[in-house]
Amino acid sequence: MTTICDLPEDVLVELLSLLPARELLRSCRLVCSQWRDVVDLTTLWKRKCQREGFYAQNLDRSVTDWKIFYMLSNLKRNLIKNPSAQDNFRHWKLDKNEGDKWKIEVLPGPHGTGMPDPKVEKYFVTSYGPCFKSQLITLQKEGYWNQLMDEKRPEIVVKDWYAARFDCGCRYELTVRLLSEDYIVLQEFHPKPVVIEQWSDATWREISYTFQNYPAGVRHIWFQHGGQDTQFWAGWYGIRVTNSSITIGPLTML
């Protein structure tokens, strides 16, 4: 009697590529030596990338490990929760909340402009005293296991959007730290504060940074942003922030 093990390798690759990666690695790979070898094939993981929209022809020369490429592509998403004030201040720690404190407003807001992304409807706005908020991301909880981070060092891409009101100057600051298990800073991105003068165009601007070739041992990412207005006006005339993101992906994905 013919069994599934008698199928040609290319047919078996096609069938197994339909299964979730977790099942392939935890179950199928243990069935027999033939299935183990097929699960380890580059062609199987490349096929899964094709099926799920992660594949492009220009990647053929640059991807050295299609299994890891698939895993990282499958995991890739925004690790910042509630980035655009959809859920009030949930998931954010208010590190400094001075002046008239943080507030949420609807775009475009007073003397403001709209965001390039129409899906973003709200923003966080600071006051005349320092206002900073942060999130701490634990990578293992998000599916990024220690060996993956230490051996593959996938790109960590940070993005944030900020804007001023037209009628008031303000200051914007961003700090992102890669932390060890014991919260020791392994690498940091902390650009010079951005000072926007009064009567600016109130345009939303994006800041972006990519961590590469960072030390082994990264287990957490700490993200903090904020600022204040520079004219000390009562109310909410300070920097506006929204649509923050941290993504982790393969080195070939820009």
Side-chain angles (χ1 to χ4, degrees), residues 46 55-64 66 252:
K46 188 174 179 180
Y55 173 80
Q57 273 193 330
N58 64 342
L59 297 175
D60 281 334
R61 293 183 180 180
S62 56
V63 175
T64 57
W66 281 98
T252 54

Side-chain angles (χ1 to χ4, degrees), residues 144-161:
Y144 296 91
W145 59 98
N146 295 348
Q147 185 180 9
L148 174 70
M149 296 302 299
D150 292 348
E151 293 182 3
K152 301 302 178 181
R153 316 277 175 91
E155 286 184 341
I156 301 172
V157 180
V158 179
K159 296 182 180 181
D160 198 22
W161 287 83

Side-chain angles (χ1 to χ4, degrees), residues 164-210:
R165 288 174 57 120
F166 171 72
D167 58 349
C168 186
C170 60
R171 175 187 177 103
Y172 166 80
E173 293 186 51
L174 173 68
T175 305
V176 185
R177 293 172 179 163
L178 306 186
L179 306 175
S180 70
E181 188 71 41
D182 299 326
Y183 304 100
I184 295 168
V185 178
L186 301 178
Q187 202 165 110
E188 179 180 79
F189 173 59
H190 182 59
K192 287 176 58 177
V194 177
V195 178
I196 302 174
E197 300 296 331
Q198 187 182 25
W199 315 123
S200 73
D201 57 11
T203 299
W204 283 93
R205 294 175 173 84
E206 182 185 45
I207 185 169
S208 178
Y209 182 78
T210 300

Side-chain angles (χ1 to χ4, degrees), residues 3-247:
T3 68
I4 193 172
C5 292
D6 298 317
L7 293 172
E9 184 178 276
D10 59 337
V11 176
L12 196 53
V13 164
E14 195 68 19
L15 288 173
L16 292 180
S17 69
L18 293 166
L19 297 175
R22 181 184 295 267
E23 295 303 316
L24 289 172
L25 297 172
R26 293 190 175 184
S27 303
C28 298
R29 202 174 179 279
L30 305 179
V31 170
C32 61
S33 60
Q34 182 196 14
W35 280 37
R36 179 197 65 208
D37 293 343
V38 171
V39 169
D40 289 344
L41 283 173
T42 292
T43 51
L44 182 142
W45 294 98
K46 188 174 179 180
R47 183 71 183 109
K48 285 189 70 62
C49 287
Q50 290 172 329
R51 285 187 181 280
E52 299 186 32
F54 303 143
Y55 173 80
Q57 273 193 330
N58 64 342
L59 297 175
D60 281 334
R61 293 183 180 180
S62 56
V63 175
T64 57
D65 188 330
W66 281 98
K67 179 166 70 173
I68 294 299
F69 181 87
Y70 173 83
M71 296 291 190
L72 287 170
S73 299
N74 194 50
L75 281 169
K76 191 174 181 181
R77 64 199 187 282
N78 189 0
L79 300 178
I80 294 286
K81 296 176 174 61
N82 188 27
S84 306
Q86 316 95 307
D87 203 7
N88 201 15
F89 288 100
R90 190 179 178 200
H91 301 296
W92 291 99
K93 179 185 176 188
L94 303 185
D95 303 313
K96 287 190 176 180
N97 201 18
E98 299 181 19
D100 283 323
K101 304 182 178 181
W102 280 100
K103 186 184 180 187
I104 292 169
E105 294 180 343
V106 177
L107 281 156
H111 297 280
T113 59
M115 273 282 292
D117 184 351
K119 295 191 295 292
V120 179
E121 299 176 344
K122 297 180 180 180
Y123 59 85
F124 303 95
V125 59
T126 60
S127 187
Y128 62 88
C131 292
F132 290 90
K133 61 185 179 67
S134 64
Q135 285 193 31
L136 180 68
I137 298 162
T138 299
L139 295 175
Q140 208 156 26
K141 289 182 180 177
E142 302 296 339
Y144 296 91
W145 59 98
N146 295 348
Q147 185 180 9
L148 174 70
M149 296 302 299
D150 292 348
E151 293 182 3
K152 301 302 178 181
R153 316 277 175 91
E155 286 184 341
I156 301 172
V157 180
V158 179
K159 296 182 180 181
D160 198 22
W161 287 83
Y162 64 91
R165 288 174 57 120
F166 171 72
D167 58 349
C168 186
C170 60
R171 175 187 177 103
Y172 166 80
E173 293 186 51
L174 173 68
T175 305
V176 185
R177 293 172 179 163
L178 306 186
L179 306 175
S180 70
E181 188 71 41
D182 299 326
Y183 304 100
I184 295 168
V185 178
L186 301 178
Q187 202 165 110
E188 179 180 79
F189 173 59
H190 182 59
K192 287 176 58 177
V194 177
V195 178
I196 302 174
E197 300 296 331
Q198 187 182 25
W199 315 123
S200 73
D201 57 11
T203 299
W204 283 93
R205 294 175 173 84
E206 182 185 45
I207 185 169
S208 178
Y209 182 78
T210 300
F211 288 97
Q212 293 178 320
N213 301 317
Y214 44 83
V218 173
R219 302 294 178 260
H220 312 277
I221 303 172
W222 184 72
F223 175 101
Q224 186 194 62
H225 63 179
Q228 64 186 97
D229 82 53
T230 53
Q231 290 163 246
F232 305 100
W233 290 353
W236 297 274
Y237 291 83
I239 197 71
R240 300 164 169 186
V241 292
T242 193
N243 205 27
S244 314
S245 69
I246 293 178
T247 56

